[in-house]
Amino acid sequence: MTETPKPDVTIDSRGATCPGPLMDLIGTVKTLDPGVVVELRTTARNSTTDVPEWLEEAGHELLEIEERDDHWNIYLEVD
């Protein structure tokens, strides 16, 4: 089992429907320096596929997707 990444920035988009969480993430990532670790909290299941696809296109690194009882935490590193 890997250790959960320690985020520098947390975006809480729980309750927002797609594409809200992804748009929140994109808006925040644009303001961050390379190497910053971001945690996106989302209740939108589509985020678990949409976010990794965007990260790959944008050149950022997906660190982990953690499923909780009522939401997902998606961790990434800004590149």
Side-chain angles (χ1 to χ4, degrees), residues 5-9 29 32-38 59-61 63 76-79:
K6 302 283 188 254
D8 300 304
V9 175
V29 165
L32 301 175
D33 294 325
V36 174
V37 175
V38 178
H60 304 295
E61 182 180 354
L63 300 176
L76 61 117
E77 184 175 333
V78 176
D79 214 7

Side-chain angles (χ1 to χ4, degrees), residues 16-74:
T17 58
C18 277
L22 180 58
M23 295 297 103
D24 293 344
L25 178 63
I26 292 170
T28 300
V29 165
K30 287 180 180 181
T31 69
L32 301 175
D33 294 325
V36 174
V37 175
V38 178
E39 171 190 32
L40 173 66
R41 296 177 183 172
T42 179
T43 51
R45 176 177 286 282
N46 288 355
S47 294
T48 63
T49 55
D50 294 349
V51 169
E53 288 173 7
W54 177 77
L55 292 173
E56 187 172 328
E57 289 175 18
H60 304 295
E61 182 180 354
L62 175 65
L63 300 176
E64 183 178 345
I65 298 176
E66 179 182 67
E67 187 171 355
R68 297 293 185 116
D69 289 337
D70 62 346
H71 70 281
W72 292 268
N73 293 339
I74 302 172

